[in-house]
Structures are given as C-alpha cells and as structure tokens.
Amino acid sequence: MVGRTYAMFDTSLGRCGIAWSDGGVIGVQLPAMREIETRRELLRRFPDARERTPPPEVAPAIDAVSSALRGQSHAAAGLPLDMTSAPPFSRRVYELLQRVPRGETVSFDEIASRLGMTGVIHSVKQAISRNPFPVLVPCHRAVPSPGETSGAPTFGGIVTRSRLLALEGALAGRGVTLFDALLSLAPPPRSAESA
C-alpha cells in the first residue's frame, strides 16, 4: 500500500466512507444525506487519499461500522487504527472510549476523572468532537453529563448519536423524542445506483 486510500461502502443508514494508511484505519465518515456529500467530507479530511478496493485488513472495520449502524454487536476492539496524527491527549481519550461497554454512556467529567486529570473537560470535549473514527471509537457514548445526549459529535451528528445510543439500549426508559419521530419518518437509504 502506498499513501492514503479510501473506499465507500453501504450501511443501513446510507453510504459511509473509510480511509486507511499502511498503519491502519485513519478515518471513518458516517453518511450524509447524499453519497456525494459523504465523499466530499471524507476527501476534505483526507485530500491526498485515492479510492481503491479495501484490502482484507480493512474489511473487519467496515463490518464493525455496518453492524453498529444496524444495531448489532460488533468487535471494534483490536482493529488497527492509525492514530499517529491525533494528539497524545486525544489518543488517551479514544483508548478510554473504546473500553466503554455497548449500551452505556460516560460523561465528559467522568472521562477526565478516569484519565486522572481535573479541569480538562473542555479538552475532552474537543478530542471527542475531533474523533476521526466514529463508531470504531464510540464517541456517541460520551455525553456532556449523565443522561444528556445533546451536543453533536462532529462526524456523525446528533441524530446519528441518538440512533446509535437507542440501538445499543443506552436510552431505555427515556421516552419518545423529536429525534425518534424524525428517524421513523426518514426515507430509506439510497442505493449506490441512485446516488
């Protein structure tokens, strides 16, 4: 493999993108309204990436994202993620988030506490908002405070966060919200042929 490469793939929510290097996955792009928007955002993040068929070592990451977006368990732990361009603090946050169990959430303050640091909630929030690996590093499980799901993750948005948390059972007993109603009205994802 030479340089950075990417591929688009189908999920139950629409076309996603994934980019990788020799060191592993460098980014995931969750679906926008149209595939062209998803591709544009992925290429904005990785302008030097060239499209190609994913190699076998990237297939488990694609399967993990696809499974998560269907609401199924997935094995994201141990997937090769290339975090070399992430600051050291962000890497620590991402490693911690990978250990948050499916169906649970953790507050920004709790993340700071688990890292053994105080007064870094803003830094935690910034690391989460810049997570290049949504779903593989489950930033949707990080919430501003216990029970609060506002504050959109950068590469997925608040509707995707709410849907992922609902699929994982983390929002049980919360009642129907506007986002639940919007999700039930959303048109089915478009196929690659219609994009």
Side-chain angles (χ1 to χ4, degrees):
M1 226 182 304
V2 177
R4 295 174 168 193
T5 47
Y6 78 94
M8 305 299 292
F9 61 98
D10 289 316
T11 72
S12 61
L13 292 183
R15 299 275 284 169
C16 288
I18 190 166
W20 64 92
S21 69
D22 289 334
V25 174
I26 56 174
V28 171
Q29 184 63 48
L30 295 178
M33 290 298 285
R34 298 181 310 158
E35 178 183 349
I36 193 166
E37 295 163 354
T38 305
R39 185 183 303 267
R40 185 180 302 129
E41 183 58 25
L42 186 70
L43 290 173
R44 183 195 64 75
R45 294 169 55 202
F46 308 106
D48 60 336
R50 299 295 170 248
E51 190 168 15
R52 78 173 265 223
T53 302
E57 57 269 21
V58 174
I62 291 172
D63 291 342
V65 172
S66 297
S67 294
L69 296 182
R70 280 192 309 270
Q72 299 172 335
S73 292
H74 59 282
L79 291 174
L81 301 180
D82 182 348
M83 294 192 193
T84 54
S85 41
F89 179 80
S90 294
R91 284 185 226 163
R92 290 182 63 200
V93 171
Y94 302 155
E95 289 163 1
L96 186 147
L97 285 173
Q98 287 179 297
R99 295 189 300 268
V100 176
R102 175 181 159 84
E104 295 183 21
T105 60
V106 60
S107 70
F108 298 164
D109 187 48
E110 188 177 346
I111 291 170
S113 290
R114 289 185 188 182
L115 292 174
M117 307 172 98
T118 58
V120 296
I121 293 174
H122 180 72
S123 297
V124 167
K125 181 180 176 181
Q126 289 299 313
I128 291 166
S129 72
R130 293 181 180 135
N131 172 21
F133 315 102
V135 178
L136 301 180
V137 171
C139 57
H140 61 280
R141 295 178 189 157
V143 295
S145 60
E148 183 183 340
T149 60
S150 65
T154 300
F155 300 121
I158 195 162
V159 172
T160 302
R161 169 190 271 172
S162 294
R163 178 164 183 169
L164 286 169
L165 290 175
L167 288 170
E168 292 180 356
L171 302 181
R174 166 187 78 132
V176 177
T177 69
L178 172 62
F179 296 111
D180 300 320
L182 289 173
L183 288 172
S184 69
L185 297 174
R190 295 170 19 157
S191 69
E193 295 82 38
S194 64

